Each structure stands twice: as C-alpha cells, then as structure tokens.
C-alpha cells in the first residue's frame, strides 16, 4: 500500500506549478498524512512548501479551515457533514474507504455493559459531531433505540479516555489511533464497532478558496495518506492491518453514502432539515481524472 501511495504522490506532484514560494497549509490529525509523506521523501522535492498544523480531532481542524488558518486537511465524514451544514465554506475532494473496526464504542474491561441495549441511560464520552458521535447514533438506530436514550458527554479524546478509565463515564466512542492504543494497553473492550452501520468514509477537505487557487497543490496532497507519527509501532500495525484503507474518487457511491450520513443526523435532530446540505453540493468530483491516470 505504501508503495502505491508513493507512486500516486510522485505522479500527481507533476501537476503542481513550480513556484517555490507557493505554500499549502495542511491541517493534520494525530496519525494521518504527514508521517507518510516525510517517510517516503516526497516532501524533499516538492515545488512548493507544506506548512503543517496538528490537531487532536477534526472539529478544531475544521474551525481552523473556516478561519482561513489552513487550506486543507483530513477529517471523518461526521465532522465534515456538521461543518458543511453549519455553513463552513468547505468541500471534500478525495474520499478514503476503510473497515470500521477502529471506530468503536468502548467500555472498561470489567464493565457490566455487554451490548448497545445496555447503554440505555448510560454516559458516553465522544467529540460532538465526530465519527464517534455518528457511530453511537447509528448503533442506537440499529438497536431500535432513540438518540436520547444515552447521555452524551462531549469531550476531546484525551479527556474522554481519562473519563472512561476513572469511571466518570460508562463508555467512550472513538476512532483510530485511540481505539488501537487503548485496546493494546488493555484499557477497553469493544461493544460495537462501525462495520455495517457506518459507511467507512473519511475525506481530504479544503476551503472553497483553496480549491480555486491551489488546486494542483491539493491534487498532490491528496495522494499521500497516512502512517502514524510518534506512537508505538504496534499501534499503526494494528490500525492499518485491519482498516484496509484505500483511496477512492468522489463518485456516485460516495455521494450516496454521504447523503446517508446527512439523513442520519437529520433524523437524530442534530441537523435541522432546513439547513441540511445535499451531498452533491459539498463534494468536489473534479479530482477523479487525476487519480484514475495513475492507477
């Protein structure tokens, strides 16, 4: 997979204009794009400069993009959908498919909670509008339970992990690399993962302004995705070994799955129907030819 991604990155690099002063400001979440690009040496010969900013989760990354602090970044489908519904001038220009073993609702190993039904009335920590939030809503729907049958505690990952281990909450709904790290440390047990109830999508996203002015640079960035940085080797091996990440163009299937996510949030009352975007309006299909040319 790494070799394939490197070939794409090198091929798409030729699309970028050769102006050394050009800068692409990229927001990275922990364990996303930066490490792979550095490890493969693609950054050594770029005809432009990358400026990285790291964020603990998608929500602050999208806030920075909305403020014009960064041009692009990688986020899950949940926070992207919330941001688009809130009017943030952002579009997804590349999609990533993966299994959802690492998107999971976690409890302590000694917890009496054994199923989604057991979560009724319980406190669940996750980021508001995150893919962790999404998988709880989807799991509740699958179990025939309303969205308000649990008590959400909206916390960033580090605080949510502490809340679970200390007993301040009953469950934690999170994503990689946090799931693998907690599992390998023996801190958690999975109640329900996202397989079968969530689409397994994440996106490379960019501001409308960057899509207009830095399109070729974004095509190059879109080709590089992801090894963990600053974590024990076992964590990335577990994550990527089971996630089966693959890059896919924004096509009709991706558009349909994004619409499913939007509709889920409308049914849960988290996005007003009047503000809900149409999936095709927030997804940019213009990078498909560039990807197809190097497959």
């Amino acid at each position: 997979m790494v070799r394939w991604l490197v070939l794409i990155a090198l091929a798409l690099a030729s699309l970028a204009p050769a102006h050394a002063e050009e800068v692409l400001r990229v927001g990275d979440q922990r364990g996303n794009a930066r490490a792979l690009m550095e490890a493969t040496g693609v950054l050594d010969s770029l005809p432009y400069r990358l400026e990285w900013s790291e964020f603990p989760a998608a929500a602050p990354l999208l806030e920075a993009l909305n403020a014009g602090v960064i041009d692009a970044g990688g986020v899950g489908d949940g926070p992207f959908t919330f941001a688009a519904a809130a009017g943030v001038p952002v579009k997804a220009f590349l999609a990533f498919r993966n299994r959802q073993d690492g998107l999971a609702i976690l409890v302590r190993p000694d917890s009496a909670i054994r199923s989604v039904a057991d979560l009724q009335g319980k406190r669940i920590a996750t980021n508001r509008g995150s893919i962790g939030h999404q998988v709880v809503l989807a799991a509740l729907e699958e179990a025939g339970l309303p969205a308000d049958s649990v008590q959400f505690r909206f916390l960033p990952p580090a605080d949510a992990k502490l809340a679970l281990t200390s007993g301040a909450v009953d469950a934690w709904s999170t994503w990689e690399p946090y799931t693998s790290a907690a599992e390998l440390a023996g801190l958690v047990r999975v109640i329900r993962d996202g397989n079968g109830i969530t689409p397994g999508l994440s996106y490379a996203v960019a501001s409308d302004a960057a899509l207009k002015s830095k399109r070729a640079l974004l095509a190059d960035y879109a080709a590089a995705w992801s090894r963990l940085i600053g974590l024990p080797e076992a964590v990335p091996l577990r994550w990527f070994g089971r996630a089966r990440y693959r890059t896919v163009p924004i096509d009709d299937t991706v558009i349909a799955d994004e619409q499913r996510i939007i509709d889920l949030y409308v049914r849960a009352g988290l996005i007003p129907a009047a503000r809900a975007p149409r999936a095709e309006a927030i997804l940019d299909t213009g990078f498909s030819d560039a990807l197809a040319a190097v497959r």
Side-chain angles (χ1 to χ4, degrees):
M1 174 183 175
V2 170
R3 180 183 177 190
W4 177 74
L5 284 172
V6 174
L7 289 173
I8 293 178
L10 292 173
L12 289 182
S14 64
L15 297 174
H19 299 297
E21 288 73 29
E22 285 199 283
V23 177
L24 185 65
R25 302 167 302 164
V26 179
D28 198 29
Q29 290 186 66
R30 188 185 186 199
N32 284 341
R34 183 177 184 178
L36 175 61
M37 296 180 75
E38 292 182 340
T40 57
V42 174
L43 300 182
D44 297 340
S45 57
L46 288 178
Y48 56 91
R49 181 160 52 91
L50 285 180
E51 288 185 354
W52 293 98
S53 298
E54 185 172 284
F55 300 89
L61 186 156
L62 286 161
E63 289 170 5
L65 191 145
N66 187 35
V69 175
I70 59 174
D71 301 311
V75 298
D77 50 16
F80 165 69
T81 300
F82 269 95
V88 175
V90 61
K91 286 187 175 66
F93 61 95
L94 185 69
F96 303 89
R97 290 272 191 195
N98 59 280
R99 283 183 54 82
Q100 296 289 69
D101 304 74
L103 172 60
I105 304 170
L106 310 173
V107 297
R108 294 182 299 279
D110 60 352
S111 172
I113 299 171
R114 296 286 169 182
S115 68
V116 174
D118 295 336
L119 291 171
Q120 292 182 84
K122 298 297 191 296
R123 302 158 298 175
I124 303 178
T126 194
N127 273 56
R128 184 179 186 90
S130 67
I131 53 176
H133 195 177
Q134 178 191 149
V135 76
V136 174
L137 296 174
L140 292 174
E141 276 201 354
E142 180 189 45
L145 299 172
D148 61 0
S149 61
V150 300
Q151 303 173 46
F152 284 105
R153 298 289 186 268
F154 295 120
L155 299 170
D159 294 341
K161 176 184 175 182
L162 180 61
L164 178 66
T165 56
S166 69
V169 299
D170 305 293
W172 172 28
S173 187
T174 193
W175 53 88
E176 297 287 20
Y178 303 106
T179 300
S180 285
E183 285 181 302
L184 288 166
L187 299 176
V188 298
R189 174 167 47 84
V190 174
I191 291 300
R192 181 66 165 99
D193 63 31
N195 288 313
I197 56 173
T198 60
L201 281 172
S202 56
Y203 295 114
V205 301
S207 65
D208 287 348
L211 284 165
K212 293 175 182 176
S213 64
K214 300 184 180 182
R215 200 168 186 87
L217 277 66
L218 290 169
D220 186 69
Y221 161 74
W225 191 257
S226 192
R227 269 204 69 175
L228 291 176
I229 186 169
L231 289 173
E233 184 180 13
V235 175
L237 288 176
R238 183 183 184 91
W239 172 5
F240 289 106
R242 67 183 179 182
R244 300 177 192 171
Y245 269 98
R246 61 195 190 279
T247 307
V248 296
I250 304 290
D251 58 14
D252 290 344
T253 303
V254 170
I255 291 171
D257 281 343
E258 174 59 29
Q259 191 60 53
R260 284 175 52 202
I261 298 162
I262 295 168
D263 294 342
L264 171 68
Y265 291 141
V266 170
R267 289 194 301 273
L270 298 176
I271 294 177
R275 282 176 39 202
R278 296 298 302 171
E280 59 268 21
I282 59 175
L283 301 175
D284 188 318
T285 61
F287 290 79
S288 301
D289 290 344
L291 287 176
V294 293
R295 288 192 173 198

